[in-house]
Amino acid sequence: MADSTSTSGTPSYDPDDYFAQAVTDFTGYTIPPRSTLFDKLSSSNNDDFSDLKLFRMDIQGIGMRAVTAADYSALSGWQVNKGEDYDLAFYDAGGDGAHSSVEMKKARIVMIGVTVDENGRATLWSGGEITGGGAFEGSYSHVQWDSGPMAQYISGSKLVLDQLLTSPSYSTKGFSYSGLSVTDDNAVDMLSFESTGQSFDRVVQFFKDHSDIVNQWMTSLGEDQSAWKGKAASLFWHLLDELKTNYDGYVSQLGGRDFTATNSTLGGYVPKSKLSDALAAAQQALKDAVTALQTAWTNWASDGQHDPHYHVKKILDAISQWIINNNINHVLEETSSAGESTVTTYSTDAGFKQSVPDYGDLTQHTTWQKIADAAVKSWSDNADSKLKEPAIDALSAVKNAWADVQDAFDDEITNKNKETLAEVLQKEENEIAEEEAKENNDKLNENLNNLNNNLNDNLDNLNDNLNNLGNNFNNLNDGLNDSLNNLNDGLNDNLNNLGNNFNSLNDGLNNSLNNIGDGLDSSLNNLNDGLNNSLNNVGDGLNDLNANDLANAALTSLNPSLLNNDPTKNGSTSLNSPTGGTTQLNGDGTLTTTFPDGSTQTIDPSTGLVTTTSPDGTTSVSQLNPGSTLTNPDGSTTTLNPDGTLTTKFPDGTSQTIDPATGQVSTLNPDGSLSTSTLNPTAGSFTTPDGSTAQLNADGSVTTHFPDGSTETLNPDTGQVSVTDPSGHVTTTHLNAGDSFTNPDGSTTTLNPDGTLTTKFPDGSVQTLDPDTGQLTTTDPSGHTTTTDIDGSGLPSSSTDTSGLNSSGLNTSGLDTSGLNSSGLNTSGLDTSGLNSGGLSSGGLNTSGGLDTGLDSGYDDYDSTPYTGGALRSDALTDGTALAASTGTQSASGGTPLNPMGMGGMGGMGGGMGGAGGQGGNSERTRAVLTDPAGGATRRGRGNRATTSVDEDEDVVYTRPTTSSAPYPVGGPGATGQNGRSTESGDRTREAWLTEDEDVWGTDEGGSPAVIGR
């Protein structure tokens, strides 16, 4: 059959038909509404039984007799009688119950739009079968029917999905099936995602290339010259600068020069920009959704129930069984003699019925309308059970995926340099005008200076005249002064004589004091010489041992101790940032920064571990490797350098580099100047694996600040634990040795018998603090252990052996202390316990408060024989049922059963559609055959905070309603040699985030366009 092709660009699916919506939206193939598929497959209005979907029929009266197998297609098969697909005989007594008269009738049914074989016999579709359709005319009645809409919906939907995913076109353009084509405007081209993405990639490449070209031009021109100001050369230079700035900005906004894609297209293309990568993700989402619809259709059609006539036959078979049980077995026959003739009468007993439950009286038109409508509903319900949920899921998945893609396109591409050339020209003209005004002002100032000089000259002349007058007055003053000087000389002589007497007395007193000072100097010099000789001998001994480095280190440590030199550190314990944050160097070597928004961040330079706590108390942990950079909450960036230093760059251009090992801070200011400072460590401070901060206090207690705002202080000496929650409420408990306490963050702290504190965190980390020594031992979940000194007051145990310092190789004989108390010098205040008359003692140098010897540090098949016995794929009645489903005692008076033992011996309903009966030919229509294709000290430790747990997302589970098998599936119950099939009952669960009650994309008023992807 040739297609009478028509096109439609307007979606017309039913509002609750999500499968039709998905097919239309994904492919542009506007399949007809499911509610109209069988409007042109209904019986004629001129028929007695009009407007019956999928079949037409009449009811014919026949002479009274017993029924035979040929009276039921459920037994004998299709077209036993020419021109009829399905026969069904019954008795009509005018109503249910006992009646004195009864008639025999037969319903003759012809299917409309059913497929036929080469002999013209009606057939049902096999599993997964695709069929075509179109307009056709009844051969006798000349009624016009059309199976095209049915074929478009059932078979066309599957074929158009296949077409969309067929390589190499991946498009529905030009698709047509059973009279319906996809318009060019509605056609979906999967490769359009790829070609559009490549267009964006070419744009990015254009801006990259031309930015480099413009940069070469600017380099060749040089920097902007002041002489160009207000001229074309300056405007041209600014034009180039604006182009380069904007080109680089475009590249950056589209993903950057070194963009790495996370998706690839169906054609294998790898995107090179952010927008191209987003389009590749959209293409993949559509492909996955179409594939899910293909799978759902295959599941629907796997047992042949996608054929609507399957459901017509299923209901007719059930009614046939009901007639056998409730109608024919309750008809009585009575024969009487009248002379030479006999008379036979027929009646029904009280159990007789001709009104079928749910449908009605078998003789009524309305009954058969209900049967037809029930078949259509059975087909539609089966389709929904297999197609509805997968379609909803597919629509939702595409909607969600494309919403993410839309976000990428919502970011507007803007110019980084928005200054126009007119604005540049106006700015330079203003600068020229300002320079000219300055030049004129300078000239005015020069003229005013000349005028001032003239005035000064005139004033000088006036001053000379006044000076002459003053000289005259001076001469008069000189005479007066001479007289007064003579008087003064006499007085001075008398006062000098008195001064000489006092000087003589002072000289005598000075001589006495000088003698006392000389004696004291001599004594101190002798002591100094003795100490110097002793230290020199120690140096000679160390030189003989070739241990210059050890000696120098020892003397460097010894001298400040001997001289009571206690140098203080310069610098501060906190470092302020340009953004308002503060940084603290903790005793364990970590750096803690508090940002203006209330968040904190701790970096351990030795491990690269970064713990960030947001203002709401949420903690996150990340890894900062040498050479890598992280972005801080205030917009600055921090880089861990290979040498262990940390460099932070701020938005205003300031750059700070901190060396955690020394506390040295180098600040590079925006104007290019460099300044240095010192960040002193906060003794006793350290951080916990979950981001809490703790402080070992001077009294041995430990105070911990948790990210949620609570504070805990634990005193190991008293066992008292005080917890202050964020609201300020204080709770106090007592902790004995060996007891454990749960901290606000979920970690547990144990007070050990030796006075140390061990805290276990939810992530498996363990910290042990010895409050006496300040030693903090941390073991991460992998078992790696690190030990730090949070006080900074001591060094690790020495690996240098000083036991030989008093061996025979060290000459200490020159150290003489015999004269330390000579010349009247009182040395009782000097500690000479480490000095022996014979040299240094075997204990070596007395290093108490001085030399520290610790100089090192530690890191179903289709039935192929439909005519070999039994009905074609029908639910044939078993031999046991026969027509005698009811064998109870008959109750009509004086009569005997018309169908004794229910047609015993005729066998069961083993026939069916396409079964016995070899009549060929067509019914009143033209058929269409398918042609389409531990030890420690006693100091106390501090608590820690565990990693905050994260709530898991919950899956919502929906239960699909149970689908039960029909009473008489095609092929009949127990049909020997036939492909009987049934659907198993059961519940099937699925996981989804979208419930059926929620809106589904594309179904809202004013929703998405009918077709996507063009």
Side-chain angles (χ1 to χ4, degrees), residues 736-761:
N736 296 317
D739 290 347
S740 296
F741 180 78
T742 301
N743 302 303
D745 62 352
S747 61
T748 58
T749 298
T750 302
L751 175 58
N752 301 314
D754 61 356
T756 59
L757 294 166
T758 296
T759 301
K760 297 181 180 180
F761 298 90

Side-chain angles (χ1 to χ4, degrees), residues 597-818:
D597 65 350
S599 59
T600 61
Q601 177 176 279
T602 298
I603 303 178
D604 188 340
S606 64
T607 65
L609 194 66
V610 181
T611 305
T612 303
T613 304
S614 62
D616 63 0
T618 302
T619 300
S620 61
V621 179
S622 58
Q623 182 68 35
L624 184 64
N625 296 317
S628 61
T629 300
L630 64 86
T631 301
N632 302 310
D634 62 351
S636 61
T637 60
T638 298
T639 302
L640 176 58
N641 302 314
D643 60 356
T645 60
L646 295 161
T647 299
T648 301
K649 296 181 179 179
F650 298 91
D652 68 344
T654 303
S655 175
Q656 287 181 341
T657 299
I658 304 176
D659 188 344
T662 65
Q664 184 73 20
V665 181
S666 298
T667 302
L668 179 61
N669 301 306
D671 60 1
S673 61
L674 182 67
S675 61
T676 61
S677 59
T678 301
L679 180 61
N680 296 325
T682 302
S685 62
F686 64 97
T687 59
T688 66
D690 64 352
S692 300
T693 59
Q695 177 71 43
L696 178 60
N697 303 315
D699 61 355
S701 63
V702 180
T703 299
T704 304
H705 298 277
F706 299 96
D708 66 347
S710 59
T711 304
E712 175 185 292
T713 299
L714 192 155
N715 191 324
D717 294 329
T718 65
Q720 179 173 298
V721 182
S722 297
V723 179
T724 304
D725 63 20
S727 66
H729 178 69
V730 179
T731 302
T732 302
T733 57
H734 184 76
L735 194 64
N736 296 317
D739 290 347
S740 296
F741 180 78
T742 301
N743 302 303
D745 62 352
S747 61
T748 58
T749 298
T750 302
L751 175 58
N752 301 314
D754 61 356
T756 59
L757 294 166
T758 296
T759 301
K760 297 181 180 180
F761 298 90
D763 67 347
S765 302
V766 179
Q767 275 189 338
T768 299
L769 174 65
D770 188 335
D772 277 346
T773 65
Q775 178 172 289
L776 177 68
T777 301
T778 302
T779 302
D780 62 24
S782 65
H784 176 68
T785 299
T786 57
T787 302
T788 55
D789 177 13
I790 63 172
D791 283 339
S793 61
L795 295 172
S797 60
S798 173
S799 62
T800 304
D801 183 8
T802 61
S803 61
L805 286 179
N806 201 29
S807 66
S808 60
L810 180 61
N811 183 7
T812 61
S813 61
L815 186 59
D816 185 4
T817 63
S818 62

Side-chain angles (χ1 to χ4, degrees), residues 250-415:
Y250 300 152
V251 172
S252 176
Q253 294 174 77
L254 290 172
R257 289 181 173 265
D258 300 323
F259 176 79
T260 301
T262 58
N263 301 282
S264 61
T265 66
L266 289 174
Y269 177 75
V270 179
K272 297 179 176 61
S273 68
K274 180 176 70 173
L275 298 183
S276 180
D277 193 41
L279 288 172
Q283 182 193 60
Q284 183 62 43
L286 178 57
K287 174 183 177 294
D288 293 342
V290 172
T291 302
L293 288 181
Q294 287 178 311
T295 301
W297 190 97
T298 300
N299 183 41
W300 174 40
S302 63
D303 57 1
Q305 293 198 46
H306 61 311
D307 184 351
H309 299 92
Y310 173 99
H311 300 271
V312 174
K313 183 182 181 302
K314 180 178 69 173
I315 294 176
L316 291 177
D317 284 349
I319 293 175
S320 295
Q321 180 65 60
W322 184 89
I323 290 173
I324 294 172
N325 293 335
N326 299 279
N327 183 275
I328 68 172
N329 285 321
H330 295 274
V331 176
L332 304 178
E333 176 185 31
E334 183 177 357
T335 302
S336 62
S337 299
E340 297 180 355
S341 61
T342 59
V343 177
T344 302
T345 59
Y346 301 93
S347 62
T348 62
D349 61 21
F352 175 84
K353 293 180 181 180
Q354 66 181 65
S355 182
V356 184
D358 298 330
Y359 302 116
D361 194 311
L362 288 169
T363 63
Q364 299 300 310
H365 179 206
T366 56
T367 298
W368 295 96
Q369 281 186 322
K370 291 179 181 179
I371 292 172
D373 292 343
V376 172
K377 183 178 185 303
S378 175
W379 173 83
S380 182
D381 290 346
N382 178 260
D384 277 343
S385 69
K386 300 297 181 65
L387 301 177
K388 185 175 182 178
E389 288 189 9
I392 291 175
D393 292 344
L395 289 168
S396 299
V398 170
K399 175 186 177 181
N400 294 333
W402 286 25
D404 294 338
V405 173
Q406 184 64 39
D407 291 342
F409 284 86
D410 285 343
D411 295 335
E412 182 181 359
I413 307 299
T414 60
N415 291 328

Side-chain angles (χ1 to χ4, degrees), residues 115-134:
T115 57
V116 296
D117 61 13
E118 65 277 6
N119 297 318
R121 297 173 65 89
T123 61
L124 295 180
W125 301 345
S126 59
E129 183 175 350
I130 299 292
T131 63

Side-chain angles (χ1 to χ4, degrees), residues 476-556:
L476 177 61
N477 184 59
D478 290 341
L480 181 60
N481 286 334
D482 289 340
S483 299
L484 293 173
N485 286 334
N486 292 330
L487 177 61
N488 185 56
D489 291 340
L491 291 173
N492 287 335
D493 290 339
N494 292 329
L495 292 173
N496 286 335
N497 292 330
L498 178 61
N500 289 334
N501 292 330
F502 280 110
N503 286 334
S504 298
L505 177 62
N506 183 57
D507 289 340
L509 181 61
N510 285 337
N511 289 333
S512 299
L513 293 174
N514 286 333
N515 291 332
I516 295 174
D518 290 341
L520 180 61
D521 288 340
S522 176
S523 299
L524 292 175
N525 286 333
N526 290 333
L527 173 62
N528 186 55
D529 290 341
L531 288 174
N532 286 335
N533 289 333
S534 299
L535 294 175
N536 287 333
N537 290 333
V538 173
D540 292 340
L542 294 175
N543 286 332
D544 292 339
L545 291 173
N546 292 320
N548 292 329
D549 292 338
L550 178 61
N552 289 334
L555 292 176
T556 299

Side-chain angles (χ1 to χ4, degrees), residues 7 102 201 420 587 792:
T7 59
V102 62
D201 290 348
T420 65

